[in-house]
Amino acid sequence: MKITIVDVAKKANVSVATVSRVINDNYPVNSKTKAKVQKVIKELNFIPNLQAREVKKRKTKTIGVIVPSVENMFFPEVINGIEQHLMQKSYSLLLSFSKNSEEKEQECVRNLLSRNVAGMIVADVNTTNVESGFYDDLVQSTPIIFINGESSREGFSHVLCDERDGANKALQSLWDKGHRDIYFVRGGSSYSYDVKEQAYRDFLRLQDGEVNEHIVYVGEGNSNQVIDVTCKLMVEKIRQEGCSAAFCCNDLMAIGVLNACKEVGVSVPDEFSIIGFDNIILSKLVEPKLTTIDQNMYELGNQAAKLILETIKEEQSISKKVVLNATFVPRETLAEKKG
Amino acid sequence: MKITIVDVAKKANVSVATVSRVINDNYPVNSKTKAKVQKVIKELNFIPNLQAREVKKRKTKTIGVIVPSVENMFFPEVINGIEQHLMQKSYSLLLSFSKNSEEKEQECVRNLLSRNVAGMIVADVNTTNVESGFYDDLVQSTPIIFINGESSREGFSHVLCDERDGANKALQSLWDKGHRDIYFVRGGSSYSYDVKEQAYRDFLRLQDGEVNEHIVYVGEGNSNQVIDVTCKLMVEKIRQEGCSAAFCCNDLMAIGVLNACKEVGVSVPDEFSIIGFDNIILSKLVEPKLTTIDQNMYELGNQAAKLILETIKEEQSISKKVVLNATFVPRETLAEKKG
DNA sequence: AGCATTATAGAAAACGTTTACAATAAAATT
DNA sequence: AATTTTATTGTAAACGTTTTCTATAATGCT
């Protein structure tokens, strides 16, 4: 059976209170007794039950983290940034996957809530869940930080990369090279995609003359069937639709497009330019190297972790926002439009 | 303040016991009262405190997962496999990073223990921690599954890819192409590397005639400084040492070597062949595509999750082992030895 | 109608902690 | 020497649950 504080107390001939005081070191206790107790703790190899402690104290030291999945290296990088900070402050990380699903995301939230997390970090929140007001009460009572997925809702706290600005940079660089018909490649229902799409629309609208929108929905995830097929479908129509470039919501999609180009025999960047988003490690290892927009993923996570602990400490939920820069990373998939 | 079972009981005019019975659905309760209680639960938006429940029941539904880091896509894939199964059985996943450090790993274990996990899954366990007997008592009292890092210690349970066989396949394929001087590229202190090194040594020993060992230690992680530098150093000596190939402990290292070759101007696979291990997505996206040994990472995680839940259920810790196949994945970095 | 049985619900102890309060002993003050 | 102060410890209630045991009301049986 598990050793408890009572066992220690008995063996050391003191009260449980004293043992508690020794392990928490928050009340004076005679150095001799302290030594005695510590000795017994060592002997019995006693490890305090954090759960019981947390029930008593009515607050936990674990943070729930919700990400869609882990297939896109973007998320592991973010998680890494989160963990680094949490660990340092001796918080734990409870990980859940929302699988790009509205319901799954809600399930995750409820689960974390019942596990009494001190707060949660939600990356790439589902659009519908925000719009429907699912989070509205929640953000009042529980510290939540959203990573990427700005919304102007009351009381939401964010850490985000300036995706709109990033999108603009991508679009502008495409435009400067003479591209006028540009695909916008996105996935399902995530705020992050919506923001970029809005930026895309606005960007086109602001240009002189008539410019056509070309919005393409591809699947999620990782070199999976769906994304491959859709990309191929898209690339096959490049010539007939007269498009010469694509701006993709993330690097994975961009690489999907790139591979499709290879398969179909469209040469990148001579015939077709591609810009991704995120700057995951993969992006500089593919051939040709992917031109992309960097968002500092580690920092995104790290800041989110900082922010959530801050919020927890402050007790009063005041909404905050941290914005990181998106920077253009020139590489090899962007070229002047030919012809 | 948080709604508790007492609040519900009061408002519904029943005892807490009844409420408990309603939410657990494990004892008969009149359908009318049940309805009434459920209504109140909805109204108050009551979420049971899992922690308190778990303290009472003296068992939790969370599994601790320890991985070195998340930089190598190998681990996210494993985690994915784990999560998929856990989620399905409504277990949660507490994630810790051991950072390839002996002490950190111990810290992780202790932390998980005090968080009362029902069991833990340790990927890429540290060699010293096994040898020193750190885990010996632990595996007796707590269900633990080790992923990759077979040891013949009493009471250890494993899910592993047959790394020795995988290594042999790699080495044999190199040998068959005429390579005789083969680098073995490995990282720090992990059982997984040790197993492969042993396989390497044994393989060479078994060949006729005199064959030299060339063991190279590179850093850990992800296109980081250390690994890059070490790889470059290694590649620069290729000619003088007369080596024509490298077998690397994981794909990340293999890609490090590949990049070094590009930089130094050694052509792969014409001048130099490379074989990796893992078959992470990256490996088929680099140019030339990496020849490697596939281990089914998702399955590794998934099986580990299955096994740990099984072990937990059984109560009596009987040690188990699941071995998955390692398969050779021919791609573009392996060629006949020239000259 | 009276008794035995069953269905339902409440009281209270327990899980492993923390902590406010009270109690004691020792030390310091007068 | 008597009194106050301080240092140290113990007692017991609390945290939010579950669950055994008991009590009651309702039902079935003769």
Side-chain angles (χ1 to χ4, degrees):
Chain A
M1 247 324 55
K2 267 241 156 104
I3 307 292
T4 78
I5 202 173
V6 190
D7 302 318
V8 178
K10 274 203 193 107
K11 178 146 188 196
N13 256 316
V14 296
S15 72
V16 291
T18 306
V19 179
S20 171
R21 290 193 266 255
V22 169
I23 59 189
N24 288 55
D25 198 25
N26 51 357
Y27 287 92
V29 29
N30 183 283
S31 57
K32 279 234 285 270
T33 15
K34 183 187 275 188
K36 184 175 52 173
V37 170
Q38 278 166 338
K39 185 154 153 282
V40 175
I41 288 179
K42 272 258 161 55
E43 277 171 26
L44 296 183
N45 198 11
F46 165 67
I47 299 183
N49 183 335
L50 227 45
Q51 291 218 293
R53 171 183 301 175
E54 291 180 340
V55 168
K56 183 78 234 292
K57 291 207 171 182
R58 292 146 101 216
K59 62 180 166 195
T60 70
K61 292 194 93 177
T62 97
I63 301 294
V65 173
I66 302 181
V67 298
S69 79
V70 92
E71 281 160 12
N72 184 346
M73 257 308 261
F74 175 80
F75 297 108
E77 299 260 10
V78 170
I79 294 175
N80 195 21
I82 296 176
E83 203 271 351
Q84 206 78 2
H85 187 76
L86 290 191
M87 157 67 101
Q88 197 192 312
K89 305 285 185 184
S90 53
Y91 273 72
S92 293
L93 189 166
L94 208 46
L95 184 65
S96 310
F97 295 162
S98 59
K99 307 269 167 193
N100 301 296
S101 143
E102 193 184 325
E103 296 79 21
K104 239 349 180 240
E105 187 177 303
Q106 293 191 17
E107 211 180 296
C108 289
V109 169
R110 270 190 284 269
N111 186 261
L112 293 177
L113 241 29
S114 77
R115 287 214 134 74
N116 258 17
V117 292
M120 29 201 255
I121 298 175
V122 182
D124 245 28
V125 65
N126 182 282
T127 306
T128 324
N129 279 335
V130 176
E131 310 275 72
S132 73
F134 172 73
Y135 284 104
D136 286 1
D137 305 348
L138 213 57
V139 294
Q140 239 59 42
S141 57
T142 313
I144 303 189
I145 307 289
F146 295 94
I147 291 183
N148 273 7
E150 176 161 26
S151 89
S152 45
R153 295 234 156 197
E154 193 71 34
F156 280 51
S157 288
H158 296 276
V159 172
L160 39 88
C161 152
D162 194 337
E163 295 181 282
R164 170 166 257 277
D165 181 54
N168 274 326
K169 282 173 176 155
L171 265 358
Q172 190 64 54
S173 67
L174 250 17
W175 193 267
D176 290 348
K177 298 282 188 184
H179 298 282
R180 291 301 174 264
D181 282 280
I182 303 170
Y183 282 122
F184 175 75
V185 180
R186 62 166 289 173
S189 171
S190 134
Y191 237 100
S192 185
Y193 300 147
D194 293 347
V195 170
K196 287 168 195 148
E197 178 172 330
Q198 197 53 53
Y200 171 77
R201 295 207 138 104
D202 292 346
F203 182 89
L204 295 189
R205 197 163 310 121
L206 253 59
Q207 308 312 130
D208 298 331
E210 183 181 324
V211 191
N212 293 315
E213 291 178 0
H214 307 271
I215 299 180
V216 180
Y217 285 79
V218 297
E220 291 294 340
N222 198 353
S223 71
N224 75 21
Q225 295 305 90
V226 186
I227 195 169
D228 283 357
V229 170
T230 333
C231 287
K232 200 160 168 200
L233 245 51
M234 177 188 119
V235 171
E236 275 163 351
K237 289 191 296 182
I238 283 179
R239 282 148 186 152
Q240 103 191 40
E241 291 189 347
C243 287
S244 63
F247 168 49
C248 307
C249 276
N250 67 39
D251 287 345
L252 239 33
M253 293 171 186
I255 289 167
V257 173
L258 180 56
N259 285 341
C261 287
K262 283 184 193 165
E263 268 191 63
V264 175
V266 170
S267 115
V268 176
D270 290 341
E271 271 184 87
F272 194 73
S273 288
I274 303 175
I275 299 191
F277 209 105
D278 288 353
N279 195 24
I280 59 180
I281 313 104
L282 237 175
S283 66
K284 63 168 155 291
L285 292 168
V286 292
E287 203 90 34
K289 300 193 177 78
L290 188 66
T291 300
T292 191
I293 306 293
D294 175 83
Q295 47 179 334
N296 195 331
M297 300 165 277
Y298 178 91
E299 199 57 22
L300 231 35
N302 209 242
Q303 291 290 339
K306 277 206 185 101
L307 219 53
I308 194 104
L309 296 196
E310 237 177 65
T311 314
I312 290 166
K313 195 174 283 168
E314 283 168 0
E315 207 46 87
Q316 28 136 18
S317 147
I318 184 168
S319 85
K320 317 179 171 206
K321 185 147 87 165
V322 172
V323 181
L324 303 180
N325 281 339
T327 61
F328 180 72
V329 182
R331 284 203 276 252
E332 302 167 359
T333 57
L334 169 61
E336 199 82 32
K337 187 186 173 192
K338 299 271 157 56
Chain B
M1 254 318 60
K2 267 238 158 105
I3 307 293
T4 78
I5 202 174
V6 191
D7 302 317
V8 177
K10 273 201 193 112
K11 180 146 185 194
N13 256 315
V14 296
S15 72
V16 290
T18 307
V19 179
S20 172
R21 290 192 265 255
V22 169
I23 59 189
N24 288 55
D25 198 26
N26 51 357
Y27 287 92
V29 28
N30 183 282
S31 58
K32 279 236 286 270
T33 16
K34 185 187 273 187
K36 184 173 56 173
V37 170
Q38 278 166 338
K39 186 155 153 280
V40 175
I41 288 178
K42 271 258 162 56
E43 276 172 24
L44 295 183
N45 199 10
F46 165 67
I47 299 182
N49 184 336
L50 227 45
Q51 291 219 291
R53 169 182 303 175
E54 291 180 341
V55 168
K56 184 77 234 294
K57 291 207 170 180
R58 293 148 99 214
K59 63 180 164 196
T60 69
K61 293 195 90 178
T62 97
I63 301 294
V65 173
I66 303 181
V67 299
S69 78
V70 91
E71 280 159 13
N72 184 347
M73 256 309 261
F74 175 80
F75 297 107
E77 300 261 9
V78 170
I79 294 175
N80 195 20
I82 297 176
E83 203 271 351
Q84 207 78 4
H85 188 76
L86 291 191
M87 157 67 102
Q88 198 193 309
K89 305 286 186 184
S90 54
Y91 272 72
S92 293
L93 188 167
L94 208 46
L95 183 66
S96 309
F97 295 161
S98 59
K99 307 268 165 194
N100 300 296
S101 145
E102 192 185 327
E103 296 80 20
K104 250 324 191 254
E105 187 177 303
Q106 294 191 16
E107 210 181 296
C108 288
V109 170
R110 271 188 284 267
N111 186 259
L112 292 177
L113 242 30
S114 78
R115 287 214 133 74
N116 257 19
V117 291
M120 28 201 254
I121 297 176
V122 182
D124 244 29
V125 66
N126 181 283
T127 306
T128 323
N129 279 335
V130 176
E131 311 273 73
S132 73
F134 172 73
Y135 284 104
D136 286 1
D137 305 348
L138 213 57
V139 295
Q140 239 58 42
S141 56
T142 314
I144 303 189
I145 307 289
F146 295 94
I147 291 183
N148 273 8
E150 176 162 27
S151 89
S152 45
R153 295 235 155 198
E154 192 71 35
F156 280 51
S157 289
H158 296 276
V159 172
L160 40 88
C161 152
D162 194 338
E163 295 181 282
R164 170 165 255 276
D165 180 55
N168 274 328
K169 282 174 176 155
L171 264 359
Q172 191 63 54
S173 67
L174 251 14
W175 193 267
D176 290 348
K177 296 282 187 183
H179 298 283
R180 290 300 174 266
D181 283 280
I182 302 170
Y183 282 122
F184 174 76
V185 180
R186 63 164 291 174
S189 169
S190 134
Y191 237 100
S192 184
Y193 300 147
D194 294 346
V195 170
K196 287 167 195 148
E197 179 172 328
Q198 198 51 54
Y200 171 77
R201 295 207 138 104
D202 293 347
F203 182 90
L204 295 189
R205 196 163 310 123
L206 254 59
Q207 308 312 131
D208 298 332
E210 183 180 324
V211 190
N212 293 316
E213 290 178 0
H214 306 272
I215 299 181
V216 181
Y217 286 79
V218 298
E220 292 294 340
N222 195 355
S223 71
N224 74 22
Q225 295 306 91
V226 186
I227 196 170
D228 283 356
V229 169
T230 332
C231 287
K232 200 160 167 200
L233 245 50
M234 177 188 119
V235 171
E236 275 163 352
K237 288 191 295 182
I238 283 178
R239 280 146 189 152
Q240 102 190 40
E241 292 189 349
C243 287
S244 63
F247 167 49
C248 307
C249 275
N250 66 40
D251 287 344
L252 238 33
M253 292 170 186
I255 290 166
V257 174
L258 180 56
N259 285 340
C261 287
K262 282 183 192 166
E263 268 190 63
V264 176
V266 170
S267 114
V268 176
D270 290 341
E271 270 184 88
F272 194 73
S273 288
I274 303 174
I275 298 193
F277 209 105
D278 288 353
N279 194 24
I280 59 179
I281 312 106
L282 236 174
S283 66
K284 62 170 155 292
L285 292 168
V286 292
E287 203 89 34
K289 300 192 177 78
L290 188 67
T291 299
T292 190
I293 305 293
D294 175 82
Q295 48 179 333
N296 195 333
M297 301 164 276
Y298 178 91
E299 200 57 22
L300 232 35
N302 208 243
Q303 291 290 340
K306 276 205 186 98
L307 219 54
I308 193 105
L309 295 196
E310 238 176 64
T311 313
I312 289 167
K313 196 174 283 169
E314 282 166 359
E315 208 48 87
Q316 27 137 17
S317 146
I318 184 167
S319 86
K320 318 178 171 206
K321 185 146 86 166
V322 171
V323 181
L324 304 181
N325 281 337
T327 61
F328 180 72
V329 182
R331 284 204 275 252
E332 303 168 357
T333 57
L334 169 60
E336 199 80 33
K337 187 183 174 194
K338 297 272 157 54

